[in-house]
Amino acid sequence: MTLYMPLFRSCFTSRSLTQLHAHLVVTGLHTDPLASTKLLESYAQMGSLPSSRLVFETHPSPDSFMFGVLIKCYLWHQLFHQVVSLYHHHIQKGSHLTQNCTFLFPSVLKAISGVGDLFMGRKVHGRIVRSGFGTDHVIGTSLFNMYGELSCLNDARKVFDEMHVRDLVSWSSVIACYVENGRPQEGLEMLHGMVSEGIELDSVTMLSVAEACGKVGCLKLAKSVHGYGIRKEMVGDASLRNSLMVMYSQCSYLCGAKGVFEGVGDRSTSCWTSMISSCNQNGCFEEAIDAFRKMQESGVEVNEVTMISVLSCCARLGWLKEGMSVHSFILRREMNGADLDIGPALMDFYAAFWKISSCEKLLHLIGNSSLISWNTLISIYAQEGLNKEAMVLFARMIEKGLMPDPFSLASSTSASADAGSILFGQQIHGHVMKRGFRDEFVQNSLMDMYSKCGFVDFAYAIFDKIREKNIVTWNCMISGFSQNGISVEALKLFDEMYFNCIDINEVTFLSAIQACSNSGYLEKGKWIHHKLIVSGMQRDLYIDTALVDMYAKSGDLLTAKGVFDNMAEKSVVSWSTMISAYGIHGQLTSATTLFTKMVDSHIKPNEITFLNILSACRHAGSVEEGKFYLKLMKDYGIVPNAEHFASIVDLLSRSGDINGAYEIIKSTCVPVDASIWGALLNGCRIHGRMDLINNIQKELREIRTDDTGHYTLLSNIYAEGGNWYESRKVRSRMEGLGLKKVPGFSSIEIDKKIYRFGAGDTSSEWQMKEIYMFLENFQSLAQEQGCDVECHGTMFGTSGFFEDYRPRNLQRETRKFHFEQINPILE
């Protein structure tokens, strides 16, 4: 049979291979396992896998080696599902081909990694242990590679620790496993263990080490790695040189990358590409374009990766014309965008100039062959707020038979969250569970989706099941609780992170500060502010603005002003937040003065700025000031929206100018929503203008809103006017829509703890008794201050009493009572 081996090597076409196959059949040699194995391998190399499968299935007695080769043939063509299916089929049959076959397991494990089926991976792991191959170091290396690629690093580490023999390949693989999963620091710790065991690094290990240094961003360590490579005479390796250039680039040390580049005599395509990519990553876009020109002048061929960096530079520089010329260059060179990501790069380029239609045309031209292209367009849609289009495209991708990867799932989940489409998000969640995905990127996206859609319990269920929680996972859950007003749980998680010494970053502090702001928890906010300072973490614009908001909403205006005044940099959001702080504390003069100072500082006010200044006018009851700022919006090219009109209508209505408020509603071009009509209704109720309410009944019936406060207000107005029929009708309409009024509640901070109570709440009678005792003594306390006031204990039994006000502090001994109605009396 060995005489036929050269004949196999000389078969360059399917016709010549078929002729050789026919000859083997005629001579009867096709029954030889070696001949059949070589046949199926040759067919696979020519792309004819069905022929390979037919050779295997028609053989009278295939052995385990032949089966292993067939599995490898499918693996070469990245047909991972077929590999797993074929293996599973023979396992169910109890075939002898899957027994005592050590070389079979690495291929099967690699296919399972490609499929992303963790459950199947664990089953195969169990079979390996039962078969007695658990100590085989080759299979062990394949096992932790599988767990690493499925992001199960604890399982991967356990397999590695249990290996009796750990050679250079094993150590290199485990280092690469940590680096590729975004944990380069632990990869470098494994490097230390490798060196401690006296194992010398080779050029392959150095590639992972250089990547880890780049991701950590430690320049000192990067230089040490470079020095080690020079001492061991490894820098002659072209791949390592390129990795060193990328490493220096990621450490923001472009000079180091240039030094490596200039030390290369014969510069290859990959060398030039690494230099161009390094310039691009460090913001030196014109230098990158210049390097591209020199590369062409030197006669070195460009490749797809080179063109991706050049397109990125054109997009960053805003060079549409030049970028389109690069596109033409790509077409002239007949580069295949479907194979090496040029298609997605072109999509990113055109998306930077808002040419979404060009992106869609590119996807149509590329067709179904590139999952990355589909992912890119889904991501572009999601980033540009085209959430419905992103979801439709994801569904189309599934219909085309493309299996979504973690990137597809995360982008689509983000789109469904922003669109508020819980059903679509749940379908994605079901797909993730069926495929056994444990990717942290996907899990965090699902948590974010459920939080944004208001299903925080579902988000927490996902959070609770994640065994290895990284800082992004913690931040996502804290932010989810905070955004949904569940501040107590958000702060509990923050405390758990802090007291268990889990890494905390700026995002963690920001979410915790926002939770304190939502709950009015001043003492806790001060504690977090203190921990932020002693941590030595650099405060940024977002954290400082959040601190201003937290102190203002918690009643400490003086500290809020102090934080604002000490900010090194102030954005329009910072100015708007401080204007809002003055507004909710009734200090209109300070708010308008700050607005003028903001304009003088050449900061252009935006919609939120004007909304806050109008709100300040509304709280102070200053009609003329409110009208002035509403007209001023036109000078800054800002068109008032429904919120601005709701604020000015509320201001006029409360002041008694009901007719003026109604005229504004009739003259506005903005669609009049429930908030605007609600502001007018509240004014009519205060000033007894039932005549106007009767005139606008048709408009009121046409309002569609899920705000229970609107229906409750309208029902109460009809009831107060004696029109019980209309009152019950409004209530029935609210119930028919499935809406239920959320009971009003108030909060009190006592001895550094927040207490909440609502209308008719008797769950904490001892607290209520203390509050009522305080209120009974309040009249004499006010009279001592020279005020004539009458207190009514029934104020605590009125649902929604505090809904239109922001809390402020009234301090008596160690207690703080947040009553907006009380403070003006003392002032």
Side-chain angles (χ1 to χ4, degrees), residues 15 372 418 445 491 663 822:
R15 179 179 176 81
I372 297 174
D418 293 338
S445 297
L491 293 171
E663 286 299 320
I822 295 175

Side-chain angles (χ1 to χ4, degrees), residues 72-89:
K72 277 198 171 185
C73 289
Y74 277 100
L75 194 64
W76 289 338
H77 288 80
Q78 297 188 342
L79 298 172
F80 304 125
H81 285 278
Q82 286 87 331
V83 171
V84 174
S85 177
L86 192 62
Y87 172 78
H88 191 59
H89 172 70

Side-chain angles (χ1 to χ4, degrees), residues 477-494:
M477 195 65 250
I478 293 173
S479 177
F481 278 131
S482 180
Q483 289 169 5
N484 283 274
I486 312 175
S487 302
V488 173
E489 295 301 323
L491 293 171
K492 280 183 181 177
L493 285 183
F494 178 83

Side-chain angles (χ1 to χ4, degrees), residues 329 537 618 732 812:
F329 178 86
M537 197 173 294
R618 182 166 58 88
S732 299
R812 185 172 184 265

Side-chain angles (χ1 to χ4, degrees), residues 126 190 247 314 344 462 548 677:
M190 295 302 294
M247 174 190 71
C314 291
I462 296 171
V548 171
W677 285 118

Side-chain angles (χ1 to χ4, degrees), residues 665-679:
I665 292 175
K666 289 195 296 182
S667 63
T668 181
C669 298
V670 175
V672 183
D673 62 12
S675 64
I676 298 175
W677 285 118

Side-chain angles (χ1 to χ4, degrees), residues 488-727:
V488 173
E489 295 301 323
L491 293 171
K492 280 183 181 177
L493 285 183
F494 178 83
D495 288 343
E496 188 177 342
M497 287 186 75
Y498 181 80
F499 291 113
N500 289 321
C501 300
I502 298 171
D503 284 340
I504 292 175
N505 64 10
E506 294 87 347
V507 178
T508 321
F509 277 110
L510 182 62
S511 298
I513 292 166
Q514 288 171 341
C516 293
S517 178
N518 294 337
S519 63
Y521 200 166
L522 179 61
E523 293 302 323
K524 184 69 175 181
K526 287 181 176 178
W527 182 82
I528 292 172
H529 190 181
H530 168 72
K531 298 305 175 189
L532 175 64
I533 293 169
V534 298
S535 70
M537 197 173 294
Q538 186 175 1
R539 281 162 50 185
D540 59 18
L541 182 63
Y542 301 102
I543 289 179
D544 283 338
T545 302
L547 284 169
V548 171
D549 185 61
M550 183 272 294
Y551 280 117
K553 289 180 178 177
S554 301
D556 193 345
L557 182 62
L558 188 62
T559 305
K561 184 179 182 299
V563 174
F564 177 79
D565 290 340
N566 288 321
M567 288 175 68
E569 179 187 0
K570 298 182 181 76
S571 68
V572 64
V573 179
S574 311
W575 288 92
S576 300
T577 302
M578 195 63 225
I579 289 169
S580 174
Y582 282 127
I584 61 178
H585 284 265
Q587 297 190 16
L588 178 60
T589 303
S590 299
T592 54
T593 302
L594 190 64
F595 180 90
T596 304
K597 188 176 179 182
M598 170 186 174
V599 173
D600 292 342
S601 300
H602 306 292
I603 302 293
K604 183 183 177 181
N606 61 14
E607 293 89 345
I608 304 299
T609 315
F610 278 103
L611 184 62
N612 290 345
I613 198 74
L614 287 172
S615 179
C617 296
R618 182 166 58 88
H619 278 288
S622 181
V623 175
E624 294 305 318
E625 290 275 6
K627 289 180 178 179
F628 168 77
Y629 284 107
L630 186 68
K631 292 178 181 176
L632 188 64
M633 292 178 70
K634 296 179 182 178
D635 295 345
Y636 291 94
I638 300 172
V639 179
N641 58 31
E643 290 182 286
H644 297 107
F645 281 113
S647 197
I648 195 69
V649 167
D650 185 62
L651 172 60
L652 294 172
S653 299
R654 287 177 183 272
S655 67
D657 188 6
I658 305 296
N659 293 333
Y662 186 47
E663 286 299 320
I664 286 178
I665 292 175
K666 289 195 296 182
S667 63
T668 181
C669 298
V670 175
V672 183
D673 62 12
S675 64
I676 298 175
W677 285 118
L680 182 66
L681 284 173
N682 193 41
C684 291
R685 183 185 187 186
I686 294 170
H687 297 283
R689 289 292 304 274
M690 290 300 296
D691 60 310
L692 183 58
I693 293 176
N694 293 331
N695 290 337
I696 60 173
Q697 281 196 23
K698 181 182 177 183
E699 289 86 349
L700 296 177
R701 291 193 193 100
E702 293 175 353
I703 294 174
R704 296 288 182 270
T705 179
D706 58 359
D707 180 13
T708 58
H710 170 77
Y711 296 106
T712 305
L713 174 62
L714 185 57
S715 175
N716 290 342
I717 289 173
Y718 283 131
E720 289 172 6
N723 192 344
W724 296 103
Y725 172 76
E726 287 293 340
S727 177

